[in-house]
Amino acid sequence: MANKTEKILEALADYATECYAEGIAEGIKNKWIPCSERKPEPETRVIVTVKSVTNHRYTTTAFYENGKINTEDSGYGFTETAHDRGWEYVDEEDAFIIPESWWEDDGGENVFEIDDDYEVIAWQPLPEPYKE
């Protein structure tokens, strides 16, 4: 009996692995990832949960900057922001280094830094767009 149970459990584990790899298991695919575990790739738009100092929480779309990308390599127009905020300028690159930070992204041309009164605590990839 134990052998049969072990075979069934092994088959279920293989099936779960296959479903995850193919993106079928929605419950697995759409889990929140705590920022304490890892952050998304820089400049990748994701859904985030933001917590305020008063513990209010909300979700929005945002992207993460890891402090290693400069304004010339960025997909966002940060040059004016860099001048206004006094970001580090690197002569050899003729660009400013974008500091580590989270930026709220409205999906258009506007981005807003998530300030110190708020903390991005978790994120998940954006779902695929609806197809008819």
Side-chain angles (χ1 to χ4, degrees), residues 7 10 21 29 34-35 38 43 57 61 67 69 82 84 121 128:
K7 286 182 181 180
E10 188 176 312
K29 190 167 76 173
C35 292
R38 69 182 168 97
E43 299 200 347
R57 295 171 187 227
T61 54
I69 297 174
D84 293 345
I121 59 172
E128 292 296 318

Side-chain angles (χ1 to χ4, degrees), residues 43-71:
E43 299 200 347
T44 301
R45 211 164 154 245
V46 295
I47 300 170
V48 297
T49 296
V50 180
K51 181 177 83 169
S52 73
V53 293
T54 60
N55 210 27
H56 171 75
R57 295 171 187 227
Y58 69 94
T59 59
T60 188
T61 54
F63 61 91
Y64 172 71
E65 291 289 356
N66 64 0
K68 298 177 183 175
I69 297 174
N70 68 44
T71 50

Side-chain angles (χ1 to χ4, degrees), residues 58-95:
Y58 69 94
T59 59
T60 188
T61 54
F63 61 91
Y64 172 71
E65 291 289 356
N66 64 0
K68 298 177 183 175
I69 297 174
N70 68 44
T71 50
E72 288 299 309
D73 294 336
S74 172
Y76 294 88
F78 279 120
T79 303
E80 186 174 318
T81 302
H83 283 286
D84 293 345
R85 295 179 183 216
W87 291 352
E88 177 188 353
Y89 182 77
V90 180
D91 287 326
E92 305 84 51
E93 297 177 11
D94 190 28

